[in-house]
Amino acid sequence: MDISKSDNKKQQRRQTLSLVWKIFLPVAIGLGVVAWLFHREFSPDIWDSIHFDAKIIGCIALAWIFMIGRDFGLSWRFRALTDYRLSWNRAIRTDMLCEFTSCVTPSAVGGSALGMIYLNREGIEFGRATTLMMTTLFLDELFLVITLPLIMLAVPYEELFGFGHNDFTIGLKSVFWTVYILVTLWTLLLFLGIIIKPQSIHRFLKWLFHFRWLRRWADKADRLGEDMEMTGRELRGRSLRWWLSAFGATALSWSSRYLVVNALFLGFVPEADQFLVFARQFVMWTCLILSPTPGSAGISEWLFTTYYGDMINSAGIALVIALFWRMISYYIYLIIGACIIPSWIRQGFHRSKKDDKKMP
């Protein structure tokens, strides 16, 4: 018994140290890049030109409200997908844990990597939790794929990507179209694998990954096919109202996330075209999918100041907006996650002890 307690304490200590490192790394990368940008671009006179009057403070508060709207949308989606088995408290906690995961992992991994574990801890069967996280992934990608063409119809192409033919604009267009095509193909695969022909897609994945150069990923591909079949069995019987509710929550959460930047521009650069500010968020978040750093730390700050630079007269003001943007939409989730995760880990150890006592 003493040995078991000692092992649990050691494991808990290792997980705590791992948590500290995962929080420290993205913070260090992000603040390091911000410090470098401030050293290169920022002038002390910028602070003299910024007057934190009632309007700016009100717009910063509005940005926080939009971020709360994003969390409300995702929590609502978790409740809708679980047929309201999750209480608001549990849905919000799951959302915060998923967002924390997104903050400490590369953007391509995202919060869905551990989402099924979080849902399972909240009382959702693991198989169904896996189904639900695959559904959230499909809804997120579907929102991006559907909305971007509408944005492009409403905004002139050159304004969307920035004027000129410099290296940054050319690179931005290349990355954007590469990622958008890949996301569209991935969404199509999810649609076929979940809604239309899950068994056929599963067989295709098995066939594709039996080739020698792809065989190392065969197990993961087979697991993906199994998850698609399981998800398909549950979703094909869902009503139109259920789908509209889930997609509406998805649209609310992503739109609220993008509107954070609109609120900040309204305070610091009121003359900017607000619809263009909103539209460029779609391009930026699409490009950030390829970011290799945890939570896109460092790359987000640099991309934001460069991409929006033609809409802001001062590079220093762009840095100030970027800093507020990351504080509201990123660093706050690291802090909240750091507060929630330790108790979540301890809860897991307590449950494992109870399970051990039940064993004969």
Side-chain angles (χ1 to χ4, degrees), residues 1 349-360:
M1 182 69 87
F349 279 112
H350 293 325
R351 288 194 178 187
S352 63
K353 286 179 183 179
K354 289 180 181 179
D355 292 340
D356 290 341
K357 288 180 181 178
K358 291 179 183 178
M359 292 177 64

Side-chain angles (χ1 to χ4, degrees), residues 295-315:
S296 302
I299 295 177
S300 291
E301 292 82 356
W302 169 79
L303 181 60
F304 184 95
T305 55
T306 308
Y307 185 34
Y308 280 104
D310 63 339
M311 300 182 67
I312 306 171
N313 295 328
S314 167

Side-chain angles (χ1 to χ4, degrees), residues 77 91 111 138 168 189 224 240 277 330 346:
R77 186 171 71 175
F138 171 66
F168 172 78
L189 177 65
L224 173 63
L240 177 62
V277 171
Y330 179 70
R346 285 194 298 272

Side-chain angles (χ1 to χ4, degrees), residues 37-38 50 59 70 84 152 231 233 240 246 288 302 309 356:
L37 290 170
F38 265 89
I50 299 175
C59 288
R70 172 235 172 250
Y84 299 95
M152 289 187 171
T231 304
R233 283 193 294 270
L240 177 62
L288 287 175
W302 169 79
D356 290 341

Side-chain angles (χ1 to χ4, degrees), residues 125-335:
E125 302 83 1
F126 191 80
R128 186 152 190 250
T130 303
T131 294
L132 294 178
M133 291 314 299
M134 180 161 285
T135 306
T136 64
L137 177 63
F138 171 66
L139 289 170
D140 287 336
E141 309 294 18
L142 183 65
F143 174 75
L144 182 67
V145 169
I146 290 176
T147 312
L148 265 170
L150 301 177
I151 291 293
M152 289 187 171
L153 288 173
V155 180
Y157 188 78
E158 290 301 324
E159 290 185 21
L160 187 61
F161 289 96
F163 295 99
H165 297 282
N166 52 55
D167 292 340
F168 172 78
T169 304
I170 294 171
L172 182 72
K173 291 177 181 178
S174 301
V175 172
F176 168 78
W177 283 114
T178 300
V179 176
Y180 182 70
I181 290 170
L182 290 174
V183 169
T184 302
L185 293 174
W186 171 236
T187 306
L188 180 61
L189 177 65
L190 287 174
F191 178 71
L192 293 173
I194 292 173
I195 308 298
I196 305 299
K197 292 284 186 181
Q199 294 86 359
S200 300
I201 295 298
H202 191 182
R203 287 195 296 269
F204 170 74
L205 290 174
K206 278 187 173 181
W207 170 81
L208 181 65
F209 283 85
H210 89 280
F211 291 106
R212 183 181 303 172
W213 57 89
L214 295 175
R215 202 170 293 163
R216 59 185 295 186
W217 297 290
D219 291 340
K220 291 183 179 179
D222 186 48
R223 198 175 308 120
L224 173 63
E226 290 175 355
D227 291 342
M228 284 182 175
E229 286 196 49
M230 183 168 52
T231 304
R233 283 193 294 270
E234 178 168 338
L235 296 186
R236 281 195 296 276
R238 291 294 184 174
S239 65
L240 177 62
R241 181 179 178 182
W242 186 90
W243 278 107
L244 290 176
S245 177
F247 189 77
T250 303
L252 172 64
S253 65
W254 279 105
S255 298
S256 296
R257 184 196 291 264
Y258 296 160
L259 286 169
V260 170
V261 177
N262 283 88
L264 294 174
F265 264 80
L266 191 63
F268 289 96
V269 194
E271 68 275 9
D273 183 339
Q274 286 293 323
F275 189 75
L276 180 59
V277 171
F278 181 78
R280 285 192 176 189
Q281 282 286 289
F282 284 85
V283 175
M284 193 172 74
W285 280 98
T286 301
C287 293
L288 287 175
I289 290 175
L290 283 185
S291 173
T293 61
S296 302
I299 295 177
S300 291
E301 292 82 356
W302 169 79
L303 181 60
F304 184 95
T305 55
T306 308
Y307 185 34
Y308 280 104
D310 63 339
M311 300 182 67
I312 306 171
N313 295 328
S314 167
I317 295 294
L319 281 171
V320 172
I321 297 174
L323 189 57
F324 274 106
W325 169 60
R326 289 295 274 175
M327 286 172 59
I328 295 169
S329 64
Y330 179 70
Y331 291 114
I332 186 63
Y333 292 102
L334 286 174
I335 296 171

